[in-house]
Amino acid sequence: MTNENDITLEDLELVRQSFQRCRTHAEFSDIFYDHLAQQSSEIGPMFAATDMVKQNELLQVGIESLIDFSAGDANVEVEIRRLGVLHDRQHHATRPELYPLWVNALVATIGETDSDVTPEITAAWQRVVAPGIALIGSYY
């Protein structure tokens, strides 16, 4: 069974289980932001004045929202759209071409923090986060 984005129930389950394993890794968010900063010299300065403790919490909630959005949770669409506005030209000014770098950093982090990661799980992550990332980026 798939939805309109060809995301299967198996994809969603693989990603949810993977995220649960990743979340047990105490350094998950730090590893993610290290990978993100390595994607482009432009990214690190974007977080210079950021409360990273709070940002780490927001990252976890954001990833959960991306997963729930792909699962068809209509209630979480409001949150994804709010993130789109927050990152648009008038706010954080996150250009759409930076979002694939965010996904690259996430996949690299999953590779380091999910003890059971496989190419199938990595591909499922990419499929599952894609719709929400596309919607957020469309607000730019």
Side-chain angles (χ1 to χ4, degrees), residues 64-120:
E64 286 177 3
S65 294
L66 289 170
I67 295 167
D68 291 344
F69 180 70
S70 284
D73 184 337
N75 295 324
V76 80
E77 183 175 343
V78 172
E79 175 62 13
I80 296 296
R81 291 184 182 282
R82 187 191 69 77
L83 288 170
V85 171
L86 183 64
H87 292 86
D88 70 11
R89 283 183 178 94
Q90 290 75 39
H91 298 91
H92 290 306
T94 305
R95 294 186 339 276
E97 57 268 21
L98 295 177
Y99 290 104
L101 304 180
W102 188 95
V103 174
N104 291 346
L106 178 62
V107 168
T109 304
I110 300 302
E112 284 187 41
T113 60
D114 180 353
S115 57
D116 294 339
V117 72
T118 63
E120 180 183 19

